[in-house]
Each structure stands twice: as C-alpha cells, then as structure tokens.
C-alpha cells in the first residue's frame, strides 16, 4: 500500500518523538551514572582494559623495551587516558563523553564470567556478547508467543459465544491468576517442581548455548543423525521455559481475544450471518477470526518489544543464557560497561519495536491521527 | 432553622467518614470487592502485627546472618507444622534461663578424696561420661539440667549453650573465671562429655555461645562402639555421633537414637576463693543466666533459609514494606497524573502542548532497564535500606505518571464541557473554585481506582529488581525470593522458601486489582452489570 | 440590555495539517444579531433546533471562547450602584454613560455583572453538579460572591427554594440531584439563578426537557416571577405557542439570524416572514379533531448546515414564497435582507414585505 503524504508525516512525527526519547534516555543514563559516581567505575574498567592491551602490545615478543621503559610508557598512557576520559574532571563534563562510546557499543567486557555466559572469553566487546545473547532471548519468547497466539485466536470467539459459561469463567479466573503472579515466580515454581522435585526437566539451562552452536554446525555439515540428537536435546532444554512463558501469557491473550470477539460477535453483520443460518464455526472462520487476528498480532509485536526487557527476570530464573542472565551476571560481578550497554540495547530494541508498530498502525489504518 | 443548617452542612471529617463508609458498603456488595477487602484487611493486620512484634532494627538484623538469632536456628529448617503432614522432623527447643538445679562447693575432704566424692553427688555425669576430661572441678559448682525428647528418626542439627553474666555495680570481677562443662546423657544410657572451656566473667558479660566439640569424646566413643574408624570420620557431622549410633563398624553412617536426652551444664567458678564466689552469688552480685537450645531441623511457622533466618519473620516484615512502597508510589503517580492532567486538560494551550509531548516521551521509555541502571548505580554508591529504596521508588514514579495524566486530561476535557461547569462559570466562580469544587471531585473516584490499580506494580517491580541481583538490603518478599534464586540449588528444594513470598506477591496484586475493578464498576455505571 | 451585531463563529476542528495550512472553516452559529430587552420585559427567542439560540445566550453570558466572538457587543444596564462601581474600577467598559460593555469587563467588574445576569440552562440533568447537594448548589452563587454570613445565606437559600415551590425547603436541601425529579431539578436551577436577585435572567428552553405535567408547574413559577419581581427575562424556546403564552415580544431566529421581531400577539396573528408562518402553522391545534387533519406547513427541504450558509437570503432554499413570487427572486438571490421596521415595532428580514409593504405580503 503506497503511503500518502499524511501518513508519512505521521510516521515522521513518531520517528522524531522516539528519537528524542532515545536521546533523553541516554542523557538521563549519563546523569544517573555520573551523579552517583557509577561512571567512575565504568571508566576505570575501560581504562584498565585499554592499558592492559597497550602493555600487551609493548611486551609482545620481539619488542626489546626494558622493563622500566615499559612501566613508564604504560603509566604515561594511563595518565593520558585518565585525562581523555575526564576522570580528573567533574562528572557532568565526564559522563557525556561516555555517550558516544555507548551508542556505538565501543566498550569492553570487564569480567570473564559475563563473557562466559555466551561461551566467550575476554577480551571481547560488549556488542559481540549481546549479539549472541539477544537472539536466544528472542527465539525463546517468540516461540512461546506464537504458541499462545495459535491457541488464543481460534479459542477467543469460541469462548465469546459461551459468555457466562463455566469455560468462560475458568478463562477469566486463569487470566486473573496468571496476571497477579509475576511470570518469573511461576518460572521458579516450574524449575523447582519439574527440575528439582520431579527431575523431568533440567535445573540449569546453560548447556543450551553449546547445543545451539552444535545444532548450527550439524546443520552446516548436514549431519542428520547429529541434528536429530541435538534437536532432541534442545527440545529437552527449552520446553520448560517455553511452556512457562506460554502459560503465563496465554491467560491475558485469551482474555483479550475473548473481549475483542465479544464485540465482534455482537456486531450486526455477524448476527445477521448467524441468522442466515451459517454455522457458528463458519461465522467464526469467516468473520470473527479475521477481525480479532489484527489486534492479537499487534499484541504479539508489542509483547515482543516489551519482552526483551520484560522477560529478563524470567530468564535469570531459568539460568537461560540470554539477555537476562547477561544482566544478572554483569550486575552480580559489577561489569559496569556491560550494564550500561545492556540498558542501552534494551531501550533501543524497545523503542525500535514501538516504531515498527507505529508504522504498521499507520499502514494498516491510515485514519490514525497524530 | 440553625440546627437544620448544621445538619445540612456537616463537618468535613464526618462527611469523609460517611462517604468512606458508604463506599466501603458499596464495595462490599460485590463478591470481588468482598474478597479484596478481606485480603487487604488481612494485610493491614499482618503489617500491624509485624510492626508490633519485630524489633525496629529488623532489617539490620536480617542482614547479619553471622549473628544470633539466626545462628541459633536450624539451617534450611522445615516449618514446625509439617510434622502434622507426616514428615518426620526434629523440634527446635529453647530452654531459656534454665533454673539452677544444684550448687555447692566441691572440695576434697582430705587426701585420697580426689576426684572428690562430693562431685559425684552433684554431677554424676562427670565420672560416667565418655570423653577426655582434662580438668577436675574443684570449687564452687552450679549444675543445670534440661531434657529433650527426640521423637522421630531425624537428627537435630546442634546443641548450643548460651551464657550471659550480670554483675552488680562496682563488683570486682577480676580473677574470677567460669569453666562450663557440657554432658549429654542419651536415652541408651551413654553419657558424652561434649564441652569444656574457660571464660573470664568479663567476657561472659558480653554473652558467650558454647558449641559442642567432637574431639573430646570421639576416641572413647570409637572404643565404646568398637569402631574401626578415624576420629575425623566420626566427627564429620557432629550432630550425628551425639544423637545417633553408628550403623556399622566403619561408621559409614549413623542412625538417630530416639527417646529422652538429658543435657547437663556444669558451671565451675575458679580464680577466687569458692566461699567468696558463693557469697557474691547469693547476694546477687554476680549471676550467670544460662540458656540451652537444641537446634532441630524445623523452626517457626515457615521454616528457615540456608542461613537460619526465620522466613516467617521475613515474610511478615514484607507486609508493611509492600504496603508502604505500593501506596506511596501509587499515590505519587496518581497525584502527579491528577495535577498535570487537570492542568493540561483545563488550561489547554501551550502548557497542554508541553505536557502532552512530555507524556509522549515518558510512555515510550522502557522502565526496567532504567530501574536496573539506577539500582546498580546506587548499589555501587553504597546506598542501602530505605534511602536506596526511596530512590528506586522515585525513579519508578518519574516514569510511570504518563498513563494517568492521559486519562485525567481526557476526563477533564469532558467534564469541562459539562453544563454544570458552564453554570458555575456563569455564576462568576473563579477558576480555582471550578477546578477544586467541580472538576477534581468528579475525577477523584476514578483516580482512586487508578491508585488502587497501581499499588501492586511498584512492589512487583521491586521484587523483580531484587531477583536480578539489586540488593537494597530490606527484607521484602522480592528479597527473600532473590536469596532463594541466588542459592537455587538448595533453595528450590525448599518449598517453604520459594512458595510463600510469591503467593503473597500474587495475593497482593490480586487484591488490589480486584478492588480496582470493583471501584471502577462503581464509579463507571456503564460497566455495571444490570 | 442591548445586543448589537453579535457574531459567534466556531472553527470546525480538522487535523493539525489543515490547521497549519490555514484552511479553517466556521460554523456560523450566530451570524450578526441585534436586539434589545427593556426593563421588566419578557423577550422571547424562537427558532428551530440548531438555529443558534443557546449560542446567543452563552455569548451574552460570556461563556463562549472570546476568540469565537467575531463581532458585536453586548451592552447591559445594571443597577446604579453597580454602574458607579464599574465606572470607578473599569471606566473603559462604560458605554453612553449608562451601559456596560460586558465583553470589556475583567476581574471584579466581570464578577459584578455576573451577579446581575443569571442563566438557566436547557438541560436540568446536566447543569447541576451531581456530587453537590441541593443546598450547596443553591448556596454556591452566594459563596462565590461572598454574600452574607452563613446564617443569612441559609435564609436566602430557603427563600429561593420556597420561591420555586420546593417546599418545605429543608426537605430538599440535603438531597442530591439524583434524588430529584426533572422538574424539581429545573426548579433548583431556577432557584440558583434567583438567589442572587438578578436584574436579568436568561432562560434557555427551561421546560423543553420536561414532560407536559411538570412543564406547567415550572412555567407557573416563571409567570409568578415576572409579575412579582419585575426582572427582565430572555426566554428561549423553539415552541412559538409557548412563547406567546409567556412573552411580551418575540424574535424569530433562523440559521443564526433574527428574521422577525414584534409583539407576541402581533407576530402570531400577523406573521410577515415566510419562516414565521411555517413555524406557526406547525403548531398542533388544541382542538383534538383538527389535529387529525393533515395541515399544510409552508416550508420545504431541510435545514442547511451552518457551515455552508446559502448566498443571498439564507432562507431562500426552503422558502415557498420565493417559489410563488417570481418578481422578488432577483433580490433574494443577490442580497441578504436586513431587519427592517415594516410596521410600528414590527421588524422583518424578508424582501417581500420590505419591497411590497406589509399589507400585500401577508396575502400569499
Ligand atoms: N462549541 C461549539 N462548537 C462548535 N459548534 C457549535 C458549538 N456550540 C454550538 N455549535 C453549533 O452551533 C449551531 C447552533 O447551536 P445552538 O446550540 O446555539 O442551537 P440551539 O438553537 O440552541 O438549538 P436547540 O434548540 O437544539 O438547543 C449548531 O449547528 C451547533 O452544532
Ligand atoms: Mg439550545
């Protein structure tokens, strides 16, 4: 569908708002880390890493510099870095210098445990670590969301036609309960029950990292037997997280699908179709599902956008080596550059997803006003 | 006439009380409302209970895991009531200020009377016990005895004796020391000499915890059972040889001996003439209070964590914290939303434009990453306790008022167009009067519903942050779950650790959402079902 | 009171982009009307729904956005003391030494005027704050203007409620609006307007939302007020029969303009404007058997939108006289007729009587 000028203006307006938001978040981040003195920690970590590299360079076999000379050069370089990063200046001058580095993710992981989450070891850039962890998070949640959507879309109208029945009440109760409890706590219970008490699921999900890389290498070498084995293992390691996320989200989705469907089934044309003698199933397929698929899909995208941030706690509980565990490990080990980078990437992904959604809205419904 | 006037214009307090009461009655009329009111009432009572029973420095106490009372509790202890479910547990029993059973001066009655026969009279355990006794008590001796019954085949975790001395004003304590000796007399008749040490009275004033030692009796224990095992083997887990007997000659394991145990504590005062000591004690110038605690593997209503902390106390402390955090954040969000929304809606123009754009930015910011950053930053900055929590709450508020502002603004716009607002204007009412008399009273019921809805959000966010490893140091439900998460290997097998805080979080969330729904139904008649 | 060439145009809301491009259209709710109301007179504004009656009243009460008032002024003659006070604090609002231009009043002066002019709204259900008790509603004007002690205010409220026959007043004071019937509410609104003892009262269809039985009650209240208090009353209604019953003079409005003004019996018996005639013939007959007869209402078509007002005479597309009188069509299409005094105290805005004289026009 070609976009008219109006829609383009709307989209442009949104883009500006969201860019401003992103910049604002960055500035706020700088203020937060600056005013609390946290940037000192971050910058020290950066300087330490750079000094280490410099020393390595100087003492590389072949270079014949005497020890004292190396020490002098290193000390000089450290002084230089301290001045460049403004560690000798007040925070408000210093922390702004951090922003460009964060934007291009030019930071190094400072703690080996953090790199270890994705099976790497330092020296490694934060971007590389996130690049491995982010897809793992997205994959787990996308699968769960697709399952939820596949259940909720056909079931929504079915429930809507049985308003007030036991099934209906059950769905509402289910939605209310899963809404009240944090998903990560449900995950705790699931790990405790299935993993520790019953032993039918893993208790730690870190091996999934190796399995996924095995899977891809098997795929590349077309090793069918290896492929099925790793696939089975992957299934074993991922079924519980996916089940939990599906269980936790399904209630809300069923509820909304039901709500949308109730509105649709009481529309005149749907009632008329029923009156014409069309069966419930046909009416649902022909009219209702088509209408409710839209809102539900919107939900999927919006949910995915939020999920990057929202499920990090759940991931931590599973010890799932994605963004959540990355967050947890870098907080626990005090890997400050990584914390900063994670906050930035999560915000970026969220805002980008929101933007995509806004664009979709405009394309799907050109009447959307500013 | 005047009296009638007073009837018509009742006092503000009575008006508020009456409208509160009538609102309550209305809420009570709904099932959902009833449930929520009951849950919230329960939570308020629990908060009061916790404020009354827990010491004001409970948070510091909770963090000090290496100090009593936590060190005196079982580690990973079950809740006491699981015994009714048929799960075998050993009880934790505390004998506080044990009554003195006997006291006398024991001295040899002449040459050859060594060890003195008098000793046998007040402390027969001394001669009967297995163990290496390096000292023979001669002097003033006090004997305390308690009995503990082991009913199930589960080892208690430990026995601790706590001594605390008190001295009268100006009493010269120098020189006087106390040697405690502890004997365990088992149901099978075996007596174990488990402790011997020496403390000056000055030290005892600060309080001393006396723990059993295995080496004292291990060698004779091996000989007694004819074991083919080393002292190290026998002493791997101290509670086992004390409360059990070896299953085989290699002492590969122990099985508990059930029945009545007697724990005997003898306090032997040295360093001064026994008669002087006796006089000081009888005058009350010196007194040593003794408590004996048998640490089973169950404790309290909700058991303990791996550090021995009473999870029931932690859970109970969570109630007031949750209510305070929840209400203050919700109140702040609604207050900001109300003020900005009304300003934006009523005055319009440039102010409106600015507020609207601000809201646009605010609602697009993902909250959790920012909260994490702030949490990590303040943790690095060394903030803990309420100050840390207040900062987190402030950030939570700063990025959550957008939604309320939007709702209040649109409500203000529609109320502003109501004929009665126009009527008030026609009367000459000032802007302030219109806003406060005619607009805000219409919004307040909705704002209340919004407030109630946003109460659980803050506490759930706090819990999430805790689980991610941000430690503000207050015992909250989230903090307890975070501790469990940090020790997931053991903690996840302890349902009494993982289940109750999560249930409370869920209950808390459910109650306020249910109340919010009810209030919404009441203030929005269109939602009311027939 | 004198209203001169009042125009109220509401901009039609469009998207931001249209606004930026400056393409603004207006609803010309009131499009240049003038009239005057004498002391102790009851003046009626009659016209069909949407012709701008309420907007006129709101404009007089300074309730429309001042930027929407495109021209005209409203001059009001208050009590002498009030006039003196306003002359002191805001001399620029005084016109001809005895009138106050209410749009020039600000702050205290505005408040003084508001005390003198009161309005009763069309909708008794919306115009009372549902969260206030009757007592607080009626007391509010006194509080706003800082009148009396609490005890005096109580007396005043009781008197006002008695005046509108809500007796005994104490029974009603503690009630909330939802505990009142529609007629009672409208009477509360009237009491609120009366409690300040205004010299001018605007009543915007005070009985249109009420059913017939209650209507009589409320009208009775008005009739009594007129005779007892001697206040000037602007009575707005779409019911010309009712207007005749209550008014001294009647002005007929069509699409934001006054098309005919005259004494009540005169306008009913000798209507000059084709629209007035249509209004009169649309009144159902009181005699039951006549009601069943199909009556001929001399009008055609629908009310045009107030955004696109026809050029020339705005009534032309619906005018039967225009169809019948070929000779006048040129005028009708070219120019809008002004309000002309065709007979003594009888003004009309129609080319036919203006050009031909009143006698000839009333024939067709
Ligand atoms: N605030 C406003 N903004 C835009 N248009 C308005 C506004 N108020 C009134 N109008 C329009 O102005 C015109 C006149 O409205 P008004 O309320 O004065 O009519 P009325 O004669 O009182 O009708 P009724 O007998 O139905 O009460 C109508 O077309 C209406 O849609
Ligand atoms: Mg009107």
């Amino acid at each position: 569908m070609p976009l008219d000028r109006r829609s383009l203006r709307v989209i442009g307006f949104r883009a500006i708002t969201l860019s401003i938001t992103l910049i604002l978040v960055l500035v706020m981040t700088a203020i937060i880390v600056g005013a609390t003195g946290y940037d000192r920690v971050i910058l020290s970590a950066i300087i330490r890493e750079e000094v280490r590299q410099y020393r390595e360079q100087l003492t590389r076999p072949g270079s014949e510099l005497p020890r004292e000379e190396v020490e002098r050069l290193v000390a000089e370089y450290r002084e230089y870095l301290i001045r460049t990063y403004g560690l000798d200046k007040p925070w408000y001058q210093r922390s702004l210098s951090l922003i460009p580095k964060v934007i291009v993710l030019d930071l190094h992981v400072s703690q080996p445990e953090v790199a270890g989450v994705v099976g790497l070891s330092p020296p490694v850039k934060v971007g590389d670590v996130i690049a491995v962890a982010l897809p793992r998070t997205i994959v787990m949640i996308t699968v769960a969301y697709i399952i939820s959507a596949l259940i909720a879309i056909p079931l929504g109208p079915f429930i809507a036609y049985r308003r007030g029945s036991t099934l209906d009440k059950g769905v509402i109760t289910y939605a209310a309960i899963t809404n009240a409890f944090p998903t990560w706590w449900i995950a705790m219970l699931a790990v405790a029950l299935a993993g520790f008490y019953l032993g039918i699921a893993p208790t730690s999900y870190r091996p999934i990292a190796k399995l996924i890389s095995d899977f891809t290498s098997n795929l590349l070498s077309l090793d069918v037997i290896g492929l099925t084995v790793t696939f089975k293992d992957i299934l074993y390691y991922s079924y519980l997280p996916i089940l939990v996320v599906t269980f936790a989200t399904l209630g809300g989705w069923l509820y909304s699908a039901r709500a949308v469907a109730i509105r649709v089934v009481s529309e005149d044309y749907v009632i008329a179709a029923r009156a014409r003698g069309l069966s419930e199933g046909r009416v649902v397929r022909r009219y209702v599902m088509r209408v409710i698929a839209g809102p539900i899909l919107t939900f999927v995208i919006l949910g995915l956008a939020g999920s990057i941030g929202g499920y990090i706690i759940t991931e931590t509980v599973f010890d799932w080596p994605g963004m959540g565990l990355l967050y947890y490990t870098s907080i626990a080990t005090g890997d400050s550059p990584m914390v900063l980078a994670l906050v930035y990437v999560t915000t970026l992904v969220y805002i980008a997803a929101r933007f995509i959604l806004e664009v979709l809205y405009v394309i799907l419904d050109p009447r959307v006003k500013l | 006439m005047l009296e009638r006037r007073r009837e018509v214009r009742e006092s503000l307090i009575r008006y508020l009380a009456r409208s509160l009461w009538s609102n309550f009655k209305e809420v009570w009329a709904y099932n959902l409302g009833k449930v929520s009111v009951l849950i919230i009432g329960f939570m308020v009572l629990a908060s009061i209970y916790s404020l009354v029973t827990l010491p004001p420095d409970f948070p510091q106490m909770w963090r000090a895991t290496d100090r009593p009372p936590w060190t005196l509790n079982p580690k990973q202890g079950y809740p006491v009531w699981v015994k009714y479910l048929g799960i075998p547990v050993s009880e934790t029993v505390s004998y506080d200020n044990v009554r003195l059973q006997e006291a006398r001066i024991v001295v040899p009655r002449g040459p050859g009377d060594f060890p003195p026969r008098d000793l046998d009279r007040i402390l027969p355990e001394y001669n009967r016990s297995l163990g290496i006794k390096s000292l023979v008590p001669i002097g003033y001796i006090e004997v305390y005895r308690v009995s503990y019954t082991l009913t199930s085949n589960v080892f208690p975790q430990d026995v601790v004796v706590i001594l605390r001395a008190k001295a009268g004003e100006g009493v010269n304590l120098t020189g006087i020391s106390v040697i405690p000796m502890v004997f365990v007399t088992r149901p099978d008749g075996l007596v174990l000499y488990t402790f011997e040490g020496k403390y000056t009275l000055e030290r005892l004033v600060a309080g001393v915890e006396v723990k059993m030692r295995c080496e004292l009796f291990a060698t004779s224990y091996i000989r007694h059972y004819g074991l083919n095992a080393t002292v190290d083997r026998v002493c791997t887990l101290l509670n086992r040889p004390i409360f059990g007997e070896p299953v085989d000659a290699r002492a590969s394991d122990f099985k508990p001996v059930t029945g009545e145990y007697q724990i005997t504590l003898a306090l032997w005062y040295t360093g001064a003439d026994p008669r002087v000591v006796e006089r000081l004690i009888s005058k009350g110038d010196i007194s040593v209070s003794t408590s004996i605690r048998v640490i089973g593997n169950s404790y309290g209503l909700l058991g303990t964590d791996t550090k021995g902390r009473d999870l029931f106390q932690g859970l109970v402390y969570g109630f007031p914290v949750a209510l305070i955090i929840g209400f203050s954040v919700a109140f702040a969000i609604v207050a900001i939303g109300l003020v900005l929304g009304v300003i934006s809606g009523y005055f319009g123009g440039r102010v409106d434009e600015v507020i609207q754009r601000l809201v646009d930015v605010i609602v697009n910011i993902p909250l959790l990453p920012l909260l994490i950053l702030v949490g990590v930053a303040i943790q690095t900055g060394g903030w803990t306790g309420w100050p840390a929590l207040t900062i987190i709450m402030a950030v939570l508020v700063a990025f959550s008022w957008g939604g309320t502002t939007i709702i209040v603004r649109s409500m203000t716009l529609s109320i502003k167009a109501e004929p009665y607002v126009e009527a008030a204007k026609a009367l000459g009412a000032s802007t302030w009067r219109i806003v406060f008399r005619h607009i805000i009273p219409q919004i307040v019921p909705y704002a209340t519903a919004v407030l109630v809805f946003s109460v659980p959000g803050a506490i759930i966010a706090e819990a999430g942050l805790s689980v991610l490893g941000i430690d503000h140091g207050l015992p909250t439900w989230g903090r307890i779950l975070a501790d469990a998460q940090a020790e997931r290997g053991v903690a996840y097998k302890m349902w009494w650790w993982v289940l109750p805080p999560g249930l409370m979080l869920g209950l808390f969330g459910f109650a306020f959402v249910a109340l919010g729904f009810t209030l919404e139904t009441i203030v929005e008649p269109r939602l009311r079902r027939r | 009171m004198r209203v001169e060439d009042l125009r109220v145009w509401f901009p039609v809301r469009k998207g931001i982009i249209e606004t930026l491009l400056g393409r603004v259209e207006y609803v010309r709710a009131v499009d240049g009307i003038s009239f005057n109301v004498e002391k102790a007179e009851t003046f009626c504004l009659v016209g069909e729904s949407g012709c701008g009656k309420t907007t006129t009243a709101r404009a007089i009460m300074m309730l429309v956005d001042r930027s929407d008032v495109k021209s005209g002024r409203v001059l009001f003659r208050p009590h002498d003391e009030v006039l003196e006070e306003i002359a002191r604090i805001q001399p620029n609002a005084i016109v001809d030494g005895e009138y106050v231009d209410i749009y020039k009043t600000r702050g205290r002066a505005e408040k003084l005027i508001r005390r003198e002019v009161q309005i009763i709204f069309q909708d008794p259900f919306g115009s009372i704050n549902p969260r206030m008790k009757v007592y607080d509603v009626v007391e509010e004007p006194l509080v706003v203007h800082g009148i009396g002690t609490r005890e005096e205010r109580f007396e005043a409220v009781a008197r006002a409620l008695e005046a509108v026959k809500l007796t005994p007043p104490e029974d009603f004071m503690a009630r909330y609006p939802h505990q009142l019937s529609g007629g009672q509410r409208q009477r509360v609104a009237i009491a609120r307007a009366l409690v300040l003892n205004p010299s001018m009262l605007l009543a915007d269809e005070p009985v249109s939302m009420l059913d017939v039985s209650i209507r009589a009650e409320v009208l009775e209240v008005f009739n009594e007020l007129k005779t007892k208090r001697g206040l000037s009353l602007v009575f707005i209604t779409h019911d010309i029969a009712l207007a005749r019953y209550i008014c001294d003079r009647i002005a007929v409005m069509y699409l934001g303009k006054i098309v005919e003004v005259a004494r009540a019996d005169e306008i009913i018996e000798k209507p000059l404007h084709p629209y007035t005639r249509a209004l009169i013939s649309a009144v159902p007959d009181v005699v039951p058997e006549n009601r069943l007869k199909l009556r001929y209402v001399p009008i055609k078509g629908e009310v045009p939108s107030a955004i696109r007002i026809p050029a020339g005479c705005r009534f032309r597309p619906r005018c039967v006289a225009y169809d019948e009188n070929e000779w006048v069509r040129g005028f009708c299409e070219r120019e809008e007729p002004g309000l002309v005094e065709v007979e003594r105290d009888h003004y009309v805005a129609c080319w036919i009587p203006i050009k031909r004289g009143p006698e000839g026009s009333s024939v067709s």
Side-chain angles (χ1 to χ4, degrees), chain C residues 245-310:
Chain C
Y245 167 71
I246 203 155
C247 299
D248 303 323
R249 272 194 309 146
I250 292 178
V252 176
M253 263 185 96
Y254 179 75
L255 218 57
K257 258 192 137 58
I258 290 179
V259 293
E260 189 168 3
V261 190
R263 278 203 343 275
D265 39 2
E266 162 120 3
I267 211 166
I268 302 284
E269 275 149 30
K270 254 176 72 184
L272 293 180
H273 197 280
Y275 179 64
T276 314
R277 276 197 296 259
L279 276 185
I280 293 165
S281 32
V283 176
D285 229 304
V286 193
V287 188
E289 44 266 36
N290 288 358
R291 265 194 207 173
L292 294 173
K293 281 190 221 150
L294 255 184
R295 274 169 307 115
Y296 171 65
V297 177
I299 197 162
K300 60 177 191 182
E302 291 288 315
V303 195
S305 152
I307 302 175
R308 266 171 285 289
I309 287 177

Side-chain angles (χ1 to χ4, degrees), chain C residues 8-12 27-30 47-58 64 68 122 204-205 236-238 253 305-307:
Chain C
V8 184
W9 294 4
F10 297 113
V12 180
V27 176
R28 303 196 198 167
V30 175
E48 67 196 319
S49 182
C51 70
K53 307 183 295 289
T54 300
T55 307
T56 308
R58 289 180 62 226
V64 294
D68 293 336
Q122 195 164 357
D204 183 7
E205 310 205 32
I236 294 173
T237 176
H238 58 260
M253 263 185 96
S305 152
I307 302 175

Side-chain angles (χ1 to χ4, degrees), chain B residues 9 422 427 433 438 442, chain C residues 58 129 139-140 145 154:
Chain B
R9 298 192 56 95
E422 197 146 86
L427 292 174
R433 189 177 171 85
H438 296 280
Q442 312 291 323
Chain C
R58 289 180 62 226
N129 188 336
E139 190 200 23
E140 186 168 27
H145 291 280
F154 183 83

Side-chain angles (χ1 to χ4, degrees), chain A residues 13-14 17-18 20-21 24-25 28-30 32-33 36-38 41 176-177 179-182 184-185 187-189 191-193 196-197 203-205 255 309-310 312-313 316-319 324 327-328 331-332 339-340 342-344 346-347 350-351 354 358, chain B residues 357 360-366 368-370 372-374 376-381 383 395 399 460-461 463-470 478 481-482 484-486 488-490 492-496 498-507 509-510 513 517:
Chain A
F13 189 81
R14 275 294 165 213
T17 308
L18 290 172
I20 291 175
T21 309
L24 237 115
V25 169
M28 260 180 320
T29 309
I32 291 170
V33 298
T36 53
Y38 188 49
V41 182
I177 290 174
N179 179 54
F181 293 100
W184 50 262
W185 183 69
M188 278 186 172
L189 290 193
V191 174
L193 189 72
F196 284 98
Y197 276 100
T203 51
S204 167
Y205 291 76
Y255 188 80
I312 57 181
I313 308 171
T316 311
V317 169
F318 278 116
D319 226 11
Y327 261 108
Y328 182 77
I331 292 172
V339 172
L340 206 56
L342 283 171
V343 169
Y344 167 66
T346 319
T347 312
Y350 180 76
I351 287 180
R354 277 199 81 112
E358 306 270 7
Chain B
R357 293 289 84 82
D360 247 0
V361 170
I362 290 282
V363 296
N364 277 314
I365 294 177
L368 194 62
L370 268 185
I372 291 173
L373 188 69
V374 172
V376 172
I378 59 181
Q379 205 173 335
T380 316
W383 301 71
V395 175
F399 296 100
I460 292 199
L465 281 188
S466 296
V467 171
L468 273 176
I470 288 162
L481 286 173
Q485 166 64 19
R488 60 207 307 268
V490 253
Y492 279 13
K493 289 181 208 137
M494 296 157 64
W495 49 264
W496 60 92
V498 179
L499 214 51
L503 279 179
M504 286 308 114
L505 277 177
L507 206 63
F510 173 78
V513 171
F517 269 128

